[in-house]
Amino acid sequence: MKIELSRSQFENDGFLVIRNFLPDAEFAALTENVDRFIRDVVPGLSSAFAFYDDRDRPETLKQLSHMDSDSFFADYKSHPRWLETAQTLLGEETVVQGIEWFNKPPNTDHATPPHQDNYYFCLTPPRVLTMWLALDPIDHENGCLRYIKGSNGDGLRPHHRTQTLGFSQGLSDFGERDSEREEAIVAEPNDLLIHHGNTIHRADANTSTTRHRRSFAMVVRAINCQRDESAYGTYLESSNQQRNELVGE
């Protein structure tokens, strides 16, 4: 199945949605391995790589990083469908920077603060994408992604420390002008949402009492990006302090 992409639309809006991204068998294999990783690998991970709303309740697992420590996901970083899509949108050779998993468990109250991913990544030039694949039906009730259309062209905005584990920094000047440009994206399993590293986005809390909001994501950057090590060190220090305060380490 050929994917039709609009690079100009992506550059204008800062995000793009591709419905039914993977062939059915590939989507099934991915979800099976995500489930395996959570079942077999996550119990041995430290709190630096596995974030819970309540660590004593495994069902409240809400975020995973560095999944490429597992052989399946290490190999998955070279998946041609993902890389070709990223290369088409960025117009140059790309490399996968990281693999993550996100969840908003039911019966937990945490919203994702408005933020820009490249404030965390600290890449110059900011030629980086987050490719976010829905694993559940995702809508207004369980916390769909909300993009600020065109914000990718505004540059990085001021951020400050949040109380949301996994999203240590959020916009400090988010306001009415941003809300007027906001677009909420409802997604079905296997729909891919792609956003630029400077695109402002957020998500409400999951208000459902029974439904999870799970997604699998790969961060893909242009091969010529360089990390600002000073800015990244400052971010890591703040992030680690926040995690220590919130989880008591």
Side-chain angles (χ1 to χ4, degrees):
M1 178 180 65
K2 182 176 175 60
I3 296 174
E4 296 297 331
L5 297 176
S6 173
R7 183 175 171 185
S8 62
Q9 179 187 348
F10 173 76
E11 290 175 345
N12 288 334
D13 295 347
F15 65 92
L16 189 70
V17 181
I18 303 175
R19 305 293 181 183
N20 199 30
F21 178 63
L22 293 172
D24 290 346
E26 290 190 20
F27 182 69
L30 175 61
T31 56
E32 287 169 5
N33 277 280
V34 168
D35 291 343
R36 173 192 57 79
F37 185 88
I38 292 172
R39 181 186 65 246
D40 298 342
V41 179
V42 168
L45 294 180
S46 76
S47 60
F49 305 125
F51 298 163
Y52 295 81
D53 190 71
D54 179 351
R55 196 167 181 88
D56 292 331
R57 296 166 56 209
E59 70 274 14
T60 68
L61 180 68
K62 68 178 188 175
Q63 189 171 337
L64 298 171
S65 61
H66 299 283
M67 294 177 71
D68 51 349
S69 60
D70 178 85
S71 60
F72 174 86
F73 294 107
D75 291 341
Y76 203 80
K77 290 168 66 175
S78 60
H79 192 294
R81 196 174 191 83
W82 292 77
L83 291 179
E84 289 168 9
T85 300
Q87 288 166 7
T88 298
L89 291 177
L90 289 176
E92 56 190 298
E93 188 176 353
T94 58
V95 62
V96 174
Q97 177 169 298
I99 298 180
E100 300 174 296
W101 175 91
F102 299 97
N103 184 28
K104 288 184 180 292
N107 297 310
T108 58
D109 182 19
H110 67 275
T112 304
H115 66 282
Q116 295 166 291
D117 289 349
N118 199 41
Y119 191 88
Y120 300 175
F121 304 152
C122 305
L123 294 174
T124 303
R127 306 283 292 163
V128 58
L129 312 174
T130 298
M131 307 178 73
W132 194 96
L133 189 73
L135 302 181
D136 294 308
I138 298 174
D139 52 34
H140 298 270
E141 182 186 47
N142 66 346
C144 62
L145 282 183
R146 297 171 178 270
Y147 291 120
I148 309 307
K149 199 169 184 176
S151 57
N152 56 304
D154 297 342
L156 283 183
R157 300 254 298 270
H159 286 59
H160 61 182
R161 180 94 67 89
T162 76
Q163 291 299 306
T164 305
L165 188 64
F167 297 94
S168 65
Q169 305 292 320
L171 254 68
S172 56
D173 64 349
F174 188 80
E176 183 177 349
R177 180 175 177 271
D178 299 308
S179 297
E180 290 172 351
R181 295 188 290 164
E182 184 173 275
E183 186 169 333
I185 307 297
V186 172
E188 292 297 322
N190 201 22
D191 287 348
L192 184 69
L193 284 60
I194 308 171
H195 59 264
H196 186 275
N198 281 358
T199 300
I200 299 168
H201 56 290
R202 69 176 192 89
D204 290 333
N206 181 358
T207 60
S208 167
T209 59
T210 59
R211 301 166 56 213
H212 286 260
R213 194 224 68 174
R214 293 169 290 200
S215 63
F216 172 82
M218 292 213 288
V219 176
V220 186
R221 62 171 175 83
I223 201 164
N224 66 343
C225 286
Q226 299 293 321
R227 176 179 284 161
D228 182 332
E229 295 297 344
S230 176
Y232 187 64
T234 299
Y235 157 69
L236 279 183
E237 181 179 4
S238 178
S239 178
N240 290 335
Q241 287 176 354
Q242 186 230 41
R243 180 172 58 84
N244 293 340
E245 291 168 4
L246 293 178
V247 303
E249 293 185 353

